[in-house]
């Protein structure tokens, strides 16, 4: 845990003049030590000619973990470097500007402190699993470890021949080498953020679960879990088909669902999702987890947040789309249930630590995995859906995906798309829900009306920042029931209704608003 948190503290913004186009990672694994031997080829475009470039790569620490560079070649010529503070600075005079990409080849070796998990699995078998999120790849790979610089990638893995090797992309070579080794080469032709590039090597049982929306879906599980795993992971066909219809075409060559040693419950690696090894139970309990990680293939992986603090565009979207998958597969009540649960969690969290969803004060990237990014992000989408209407909302989601597919987007990009499809100014909506901490705290009471036969409903916002929103109120009056919609933007809003004082009111009966009801 400590090592994990230490590794997650960098998150240096990428140099805007540097654009990595392609990574080729050659990694040699063995069965006797955790020492890996690597050559990484990196193709980079520079805006203008430069004579130095820096990548993130952990240098050896006091315990000897980290990577030691042995040679660097830039455009065919040996180059010099400095490697300290987990930054590798390469000096060369041959790196030209735009239109003339440079090829940098870095040879290095070492024991990864993180990013590549080398360990025994639950059955005692040795396994290797890349686990990059958020910026842990640079513990063993020289990269621009930031979601804003996407690149295509190849993993060329040499390992003892008993390992099966899976990775992002499609398989282009598997061949035996001398001395009981095997080379496995996977290539991804769609640009990815480094956080979701991946490979894994283990003893696997492999099965084609089927095709969904034309995409081959594979299951990779430990051979000891073959029956349970093939059964549990096959459900992936359903959300993949569903999101393809709802949002747009899936972006990658295949989808592999992989039992793994990821430190997370699931890690949405592009086209190669890793699930924790205990996700396989044989009882089909992983459907929500699988639906969440598959939703990330659209949002997070294909449309990637341009900077870390916009991560709700990844986690909030995956969380909400999972609820929508359940709504449209198992019924509307499922959506209400999950939004109520999410609301409870958001309120509990904002009471303890009120922070905006987009919180640029966060420097430990692991803290981005918060209720704000997931559940409040999902609530923002849920409220936006009510705000602009069903058809417009999904039109906007599809347009956002289409426009930023395999690229990067920030919150403003999403807002502009939603303004375009709705013809509305949504600046205040986005501002209050994403950049302001907390949510409306409403004191709702009944008062005698001015005229006889009337009762007033008084709604008071008791927090400092005044939100602007519609609140539905269900009025139960002597066996009959109706819903009124009240627009609220002031400190106190008072409406008169034709009813006696014996009415019962239920605010937000349809679960459409993120708010706290204050009784005091
Ligand atoms: Zn997620």
């Amino acid at each position: 845990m400590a090592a994990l948190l230490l590794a997650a503290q960098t998150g240096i913004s990428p140099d805007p003049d540097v654009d990595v186009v392609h990574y080729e990672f050659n990694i040699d694994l063995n069965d006797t030590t955790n020492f890996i031997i690597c050559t990484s080829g990196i193709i980079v475009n520079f805006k203008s000619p430069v004579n130095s470039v820096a990548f993130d790569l952990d240098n050896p620490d006091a315990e000897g973990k980290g990577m030691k560079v042995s040679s660097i070649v830039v455009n065919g010529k040996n180059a010099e470097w400095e490697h300290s503070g987990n930054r590798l600075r390469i000096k060369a005079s041959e790196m030209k500007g735009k239109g003339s990409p440079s090829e940098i080849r870095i040879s290095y070796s070492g024991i990864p402190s993180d990013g590549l998990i080398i360990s025994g699995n639950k059955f005692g078998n040795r396994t290797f699993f890349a686990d990059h999120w958020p910026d842990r790849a640079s513990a063993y790979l020289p990269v621009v470890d930031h979601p804003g610089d996407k690149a295509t990638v190849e993993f060329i893995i040499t390992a003892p021949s008993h390992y099966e090797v899976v990775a992002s992309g499609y398989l282009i070579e598997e061949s035996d080498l001398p001395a009981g080794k095997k080379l496995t080469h996977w290539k991804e032709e769609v640009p990815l953020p480094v956080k979701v590039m991946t490979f894994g090597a283990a003893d696997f049982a492999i099965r084609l679960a089927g095709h969904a929306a034309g995409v081959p879906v594979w299951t990779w599980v430990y051979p000891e879990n073959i029956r349970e795993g093939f059964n549990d992971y096959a459900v992936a066909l359903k959300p993949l088909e569903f999101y393809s219809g709802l949002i747009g075409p899936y972006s990658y060559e295949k989808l592999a669902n992989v039992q793994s040693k990821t430190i997370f419950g699931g890690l949405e690696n592009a086209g190669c999702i890793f699930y924790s090894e205990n996700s396989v139970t044989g009882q089909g309990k992983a459907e929500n987890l699988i639906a969440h990680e598959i939703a990330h293939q659209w949002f997070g992986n294909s449309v990637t947040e341009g900077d870390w603090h916009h991560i709700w565009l990844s986690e909030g979207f995956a969380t909400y789309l999972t609820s929508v998958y359940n709504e449209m597969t198992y019924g509307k009540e499922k959506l209400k249930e999950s939004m109520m649960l999410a609301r409870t969690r958001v309120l509990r969290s904002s009471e303890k630590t009120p922070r905006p969803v987009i919180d640029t004060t966060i420097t430990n990237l692991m803290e981005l995995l918060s209720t704000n990014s997931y559940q409040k992000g999902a609530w923002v989408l849920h409220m936006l859906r009510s705000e602009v209407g069903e058809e417009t909302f999904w039109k906007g989601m599809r347009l956002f995906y289409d426009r930023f597919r395999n690229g990067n987007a920030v919150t403003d990009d999403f807002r502009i798309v939603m303004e375009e499809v709705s013809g509305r100014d949504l600046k205040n909506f986005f501002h209050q829900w994403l950049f302001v901490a907390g949510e409306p705290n409403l004191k709702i009471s009944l008062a005698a009306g001015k005229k006889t036969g009337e009762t007033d409903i008084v709604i008071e916002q008791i927090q400092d920042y005044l939100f602007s929103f519609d609140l539905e109120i269900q009025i139960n009056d002597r066996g009959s029931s109706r819903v009124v919609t009240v627009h609220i933007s002031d400190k106190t809003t008072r409406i008169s209704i034709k009813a006696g004082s014996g009415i019962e009111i239920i605010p937000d009966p349809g679960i459409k608003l993120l708010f706290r009801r204050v009784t005091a």
Side-chain angles (χ1 to χ4, degrees):
M1 197 63 177
L4 174 89
L5 293 174
L6 274 177
Q9 280 172 358
T10 51
I12 297 167
S13 278
D15 182 340
D17 296 335
V18 176
D19 175 21
V20 176
V21 180
H22 183 72
Y23 292 106
E24 178 206 290
F25 299 125
N26 298 267
I27 305 168
D28 192 305
L29 311 173
N30 71 80
D31 265 342
T32 48
T33 71
N34 292 349
F35 189 84
I36 60 171
I37 301 166
C38 312
T39 300
S40 294
I42 309 175
I43 311 243
V44 193
N45 267 327
F46 298 100
K47 231 180 212 162
S48 50
V50 296
N51 50 28
S52 88
V53 61
F55 296 102
D56 302 305
L57 178 67
D58 281 15
N59 47 281
D61 61 17
E63 291 159 28
K65 286 187 174 174
M67 297 293 139
K68 191 169 186 319
V69 175
S70 53
S71 82
I72 298 181
V73 174
V74 177
N75 295 326
K77 287 186 187 158
N78 287 324
E80 290 182 5
W81 69 89
E82 271 171 24
H83 195 192
S84 63
N86 301 331
R87 291 280 280 175
L88 175 64
R89 183 160 289 283
I90 301 164
K91 295 172 212 162
S93 52
E94 295 84 10
M95 296 185 283
K96 299 215 167 60
K98 221 169 186 146
S100 170
S102 287
E103 195 201 3
I104 300 165
R105 292 194 77 81
I106 305 167
S107 299
Y108 63 98
S109 57
I111 298 172
S113 63
D114 197 6
L116 177 63
I117 300 171
I118 308 174
S119 67
N121 69 9
K122 65 197 279 188
F123 299 107
N125 297 322
R126 184 171 164 85
T127 60
F128 300 80
F129 287 102
D131 205 51
H132 293 176
W133 200 99
D135 61 347
R136 291 155 56 230
S138 49
Y140 77 107
L141 298 174
V143 289
V144 174
D145 214 348
H146 189 281
D149 192 351
K150 297 173 83 168
T152 52
V153 62
E154 281 167 90
F155 284 98
I156 304 169
I157 308 297
T158 304
S161 54
H162 67 90
Y163 288 103
E164 302 291 344
V165 177
V166 69
S168 299
Y170 60 94
L171 183 66
I172 62 174
E173 184 184 345
E174 192 181 43
S175 46
D176 288 328
L177 299 175
K181 289 207 142 189
K182 184 171 77 175
L183 180 147
T184 313
H185 184 173
W186 290 83
K187 186 173 187 179
E188 177 55 83
E189 298 202 30
V190 178
L192 303 180
V194 172
K195 62 175 183 157
V196 294
M197 297 174 174
T198 208
F199 82 95
D203 297 338
F204 280 121
I206 308 158
R207 184 173 201 267
L208 180 68
H211 287 75
V215 178
V217 179
W218 295 87
T219 304
W220 293 60
V221 292
Y222 303 155
E224 295 85 349
N225 274 151
I226 184 166
R227 266 183 330 119
E228 302 91 331
F230 283 173
N231 185 58
D232 286 352
Y233 286 1
V235 75
L237 292 161
K238 282 164 62 183
L240 182 59
E241 185 86 44
F242 174 74
Y243 300 135
S244 300
L246 186 69
I247 307 292
Y250 178 79
S251 285
Y252 309 109
E253 297 86 349
K254 60 101 181 46
L255 174 63
N257 293 288
V258 184
Q259 188 177 18
S260 78
K261 290 285 291 179
T262 175
I263 62 167
F264 304 102
L267 179 50
E268 66 265 22
N269 301 312
C272 189
I273 301 171
F274 285 2
Y275 302 95
S276 66
E277 54 186 11
N278 291 328
S279 64
V280 173
T281 59
Q283 290 156 35
K285 286 184 175 165
E287 185 171 1
N288 280 338
L289 171 68
I290 290 171
H292 176 100
E293 305 309 340
I294 291 180
H296 273 305
Q297 307 303 311
W298 281 261
F299 297 108
N301 297 0
S302 182
V303 178
T304 304
E305 63 278 13
D307 208 341
W308 292 115
H309 300 108
H310 296 259
I311 195 175
W312 82 280
L313 296 172
S314 172
E315 295 303 350
F317 277 53
T319 303
Y320 191 57
L321 285 175
T322 303
S323 297
V324 171
Y325 165 73
N326 282 315
E327 173 196 4
M328 299 195 183
T329 312
Y330 301 110
K332 284 203 181 305
E333 282 305 307
K334 288 280 170 197
L335 177 67
K336 274 195 185 177
E337 274 168 31
S338 68
M339 296 321 292
M340 275 165 75
L341 207 64
R343 186 163 65 188
T344 304
R345 293 189 61 176
V346 173
L347 295 182
R348 201 181 299 148
S349 152
S350 80
E351 194 166 34
K352 235 170 68 188
T353 35
R355 283 177 150 183
V357 172
I358 296 173
D359 182 356
T360 52
T361 66
I362 290 177
T363 52
N364 178 345
L365 298 177
M366 282 295 175
E367 285 178 19
L368 294 170
L369 301 180
S370 65
T371 307
N372 263 347
S373 305
Y374 287 72
Q375 285 81 10
K376 189 169 176 187
W379 257 102
V380 172
L381 290 177
H382 186 58
M383 291 189 287
L384 185 60
R385 188 175 168 189
S386 294
E387 184 77 22
V388 300
E390 182 74 3
E391 223 171 284
T392 305
F393 176 75
W394 292 112
K395 194 176 165 193
M397 292 287 275
R398 282 191 288 273
L399 180 60
F400 181 54
Y401 179 64
D402 185 57
R403 188 170 291 171
F404 296 98
R405 189 177 175 194
N406 302 326
N408 288 104
V410 292
T411 302
D412 261 356
D413 295 316
F414 181 54
R415 174 181 58 80
I416 288 163
V417 165
M418 281 297 174
E419 289 184 335
E420 223 173 283
V421 292
S422 67
R424 299 258 312 269
D425 179 345
L426 296 168
K427 280 190 204 74
N428 189 56
F429 178 95
F430 275 75
H431 176 76
Q432 69 182 8
W433 296 118
L434 292 163
F435 293 88
V436 174
E439 57 288 308
N441 284 254
L442 305 180
K443 198 170 132 189
I444 305 169
S445 55
L446 295 176
K450 284 203 184 85
K451 295 179 196 160
T452 43
E454 280 190 357
T455 297
D456 286 1
I457 302 174
V458 184
I459 303 127
E460 200 183 335
Q461 299 199 55
I462 64 159
Q463 77 290 345
D464 289 339
Y465 180 91
L466 293 181
F467 286 79
S468 171
F469 54 91
D470 284 344
L471 171 69
E472 289 183 351
I473 301 174
Q474 182 180 323
I475 299 159
N476 295 337
D477 185 9
R478 287 166 304 179
S480 76
S481 166
R482 64 198 146 120
V483 174
V484 294
T485 303
V486 190
H487 183 73
I488 292 172
S489 54
D490 296 332
K491 180 100 186 129
T492 305
T493 306
R494 194 176 181 114
I495 60 156
S496 293
I497 53 159
K498 281 199 174 22
S501 58
I503 56 168
E504 180 199 16
I505 53 169
I506 302 169
D508 193 37
I511 322 298
K512 292 177 180 173
L513 180 71
L514 179 60
F515 76 108
R516 178 186 281 106
R517 185 164 185 190
V518 184
T519 43

